[in-house]
Amino acid sequence: MSTFLSGVFKSHLCFSPSTVCQPPTRPVCLCFFSSAQVGVLFDVDGVLLRGGTVIPAARRALRKLVDENNNFLYPVIFVTNAGSCQRLHKARQLSHLLDIHVSPEQVVLSHSPLNIMKTFHNKCVLVSGQGPVTSIAQSLGFQKVVTIEQLSQHHPLLDMVDHNRRPTAPLSPLEDLPQIQAIILFGEPVRWETNLQLLVDVLLTEGSPGSAHDPQPPTQLPILACNTDLLWMAEAPSPRFGHGMFLLCLEAVYRKLTGRELQYEALLGKPSLLTYQYAERLLRTQNHNRKLSIIYAVGDNLMTDVYGANLYNRYLSQQPEAMKSGAKRVALGTGGPITMEEQEPVSATECRSILVCTGVYNPHSPLPSDQNSSITEMVFHGQRDLVLDRDLLEPSRVVEDVEAAVDFMLQQESSDA
C-alpha cells in the first residue's frame, strides 16, 4: 500500500511529513514567473467554494496569483465537474464570488470536451441533466437535441411513478420525435425516477421509446456521460450525492433488466484524460502556445482530482500505450478507442496533484472496524470502469486549504528557478 493510503488506514493523521495537512512557511516570493513555465488547474467545489459560499482561504490564495491590475501572473484554469450551466455563466459566477476576473476561456466544465467529439454533432441526442440542457448541447455543437421533458410530453404513458402526474384524460397525438441515436448525461437530474425510466425505455427500444422493450437489444445506443463524481461538497456538513450516484443507479437498473453491463462511449470530466488534455490546451493558449513544464492540479477529492491528475502525470511520462489497461478506458475519456484526431497533443512534462482538506477529503474521518475488508468500499468511490490503483490515489502534497496549496506551489517554483 502507498505511503499516503497506509497513513489513512493506520491512523487518522499518520501521514508522512511530506503529505501531512500543514500550513506553509511564509512569506512567499512571486518573482519566479518571468522564467518558469508552469500552469495551475483549480477545482472549484470544496477548494474555492462550498455551494455558493466562498471558502475563506480562496480569495487570499488567488490574490497571490494576480498583479496590481488583477491579471493572472501565469496560466490558470478552473476545472470543475459541474455541468448545469455554460462556461460564460460559470466564469461570471467565479468572478463575482472570488473578486477576480475569470474569462470563459479559463473554465473547463465536465461537458466542455464534447465540442471536439464532432462525430456525434449531427446525431439526434437525448439529453439528461439540470439547467438549460438544450442550449448547453447546442453550444457544444449538437444540432438535434431532445430533452427528457420533451420525451415525456410526447410519450406521457411512460412516466408513471408519480401518480399526480399521470394523464387523466385522452391525449391528443403530438408530432413524432426523431429516433434517438445517442444519449448525453450532463449531470444529476431532478426527477431521478423519470430519467431512469425514460433512459431505460430509450436504451431497450434502440431509440424508439414508443415501442415495446427488447430485453436483449442487438446493440446499445452510445452514451456520453459527463461528471462521474459519486459525491461532492456543498454547504452541508457531509458530502452530497453527485452524478456518479445517478450513473450507479442507471447501471444497476440496466444490468438487472438485461443481464448486461451498461457501456459508455465516453466518460468525461475528471478523472478522464481527455478533460486534462483539453485543460492543458487552454493553459497553452494562455501561455501564448509556449511549452509548459509543470502543471499543478489542486482538488479536494481523491477519486477525481488526485486520481485524474496522477493518471495524467502517468500519461505524460509513459504515453497511453504504457498505461495500465484497467484504467485506460476512463483515462482516455471513452468506453472504446478514441480517434486520434480527437486527442490533444501534450506538452507538459509533469502534473503534480495537491489535495486540500476543505472539501470531500477529510483526514479526520473515522476508520472502518475491519480495515482489510472495507478498504475498497471506504477509499475507492471511483466510477465502475476505473480500477483501484493505489499509486494514483497518492497526492504529491496534502495541505490545509487552497492558500496553503498556492504557497506550496510558489515555494516549489521559487526554489527551482
Side-chain angles (χ1 to χ4, degrees), residues 221-235:
L221 291 181
I223 299 178
L224 314 175
C226 309
N227 179 8
T228 62
D229 283 355
L230 190 76
L231 302 168
W232 69 288
M233 200 69 191
E235 291 95 340

Side-chain angles (χ1 to χ4, degrees), residues 52-98:
T53 302
V54 179
I55 292 174
R59 291 193 183 110
R60 297 195 302 268
L62 293 173
R63 277 197 291 268
K64 297 179 179 183
L65 301 181
V66 297
D67 60 20
E68 63 275 8
N69 297 318
N70 223 24
N71 297 314
F72 281 100
L73 295 167
Y74 65 108
V76 170
I77 298 293
F78 300 90
V79 185
T80 172
N81 272 355
S84 61
C85 64
Q86 298 190 43
R87 295 167 69 190
L88 177 61
H89 174 82
K90 180 59 70 173
R92 287 174 175 171
Q93 179 197 43
L94 293 174
S95 298
H96 172 71
L97 293 174
L98 300 173

Side-chain angles (χ1 to χ4, degrees), residues 130-151:
Q130 295 185 47
V133 290
T134 299
S135 60
I136 291 172
Q138 291 172 342
S139 72
L140 293 167
F142 296 91
Q143 300 173 23
K144 305 171 186 176
V145 181
V146 176
T147 67
I148 290 288
E149 291 72 24
Q150 289 174 317
L151 198 64

Side-chain angles (χ1 to χ4, degrees), residues 131-384:
V133 290
T134 299
S135 60
I136 291 172
Q138 291 172 342
S139 72
L140 293 167
F142 296 91
Q143 300 173 23
K144 305 171 186 176
V145 181
V146 176
T147 67
I148 290 288
E149 291 72 24
Q150 289 174 317
L151 198 64
S152 180
Q153 291 170 5
H154 279 73
H155 300 283
L157 298 179
L158 299 182
D159 182 14
M160 301 297 285
V161 173
D162 186 346
H163 291 207
N164 293 325
R165 299 175 67 220
R166 292 182 178 180
T168 58
L171 302 169
S172 300
L174 299 175
E175 180 182 352
D176 288 339
L177 290 174
Q179 183 174 2
I180 305 299
Q181 298 172 293
I183 295 171
I184 301 177
L185 305 176
F186 280 125
E188 60 270 25
V190 175
R191 293 184 176 272
W192 284 32
E193 78 284 357
T194 296
N195 283 260
L196 287 171
Q197 178 68 76
L198 269 62
L199 287 168
V200 169
D201 287 332
V202 168
L203 287 167
L204 298 188
T205 60
E206 297 188 87
S208 301
S211 307
H213 285 187
D214 179 355
Q216 296 291 324
T219 59
Q220 186 202 293
L221 291 181
I223 299 178
L224 314 175
C226 309
N227 179 8
T228 62
D229 283 355
L230 190 76
L231 302 168
W232 69 288
M233 200 69 191
E235 291 95 340
S238 298
R240 304 293 86 195
F241 289 171
H243 192 214
M245 195 70 75
F246 177 79
L247 297 179
L248 190 63
C249 295
L250 180 61
E251 292 161 8
V253 171
Y254 187 83
R255 182 172 60 250
K256 191 70 172 179
L257 293 177
T258 67
R260 301 175 180 175
E261 294 293 342
L262 187 70
Q263 301 299 320
Y264 297 98
E265 184 75 17
L267 290 165
L268 303 176
K270 297 174 292 185
S272 83
L273 176 60
L274 193 59
T275 292
Y276 285 87
Q277 290 175 317
Y278 189 85
E280 188 189 346
R281 182 180 72 171
L282 298 184
L283 287 173
R284 289 199 311 271
T285 299
Q286 286 187 45
N287 205 39
H288 307 291
N289 288 321
R290 289 180 294 182
K291 183 178 175 65
L292 297 166
S293 57
I294 298 173
I295 296 173
Y296 290 96
V298 184
D300 70 306
N301 193 325
L302 281 170
M303 299 307 115
T304 55
D305 302 305
V306 172
Y307 196 107
N310 289 345
L311 197 57
Y312 193 52
N313 184 60
R314 177 182 290 178
Y315 170 77
L316 292 174
S317 62
Q318 300 179 2
Q319 297 302 301
E321 292 76 15
M323 294 176 63
K324 294 183 179 180
S325 59
K328 185 174 180 181
R329 289 193 304 170
V330 178
L332 289 174
T334 62
I338 187 170
T339 56
M340 292 302 294
E341 63 267 22
E342 289 177 339
Q343 291 195 54
E344 290 295 320
V346 299
S347 66
T349 57
E350 186 179 358
C351 183
R352 298 178 183 176
S353 58
I354 303 179
L355 180 67
V356 299
C357 303
T358 52
V360 170
Y361 173 70
N362 180 6
H364 303 285
S365 60
L367 298 177
S369 57
D370 185 350
Q371 295 178 24
N372 291 328
S373 63
S374 300
I375 180 170
T376 301
E377 289 78 5
M378 180 179 180
V379 172
F380 197 65
H381 288 167
Q383 197 273 338
R384 180 199 64 192

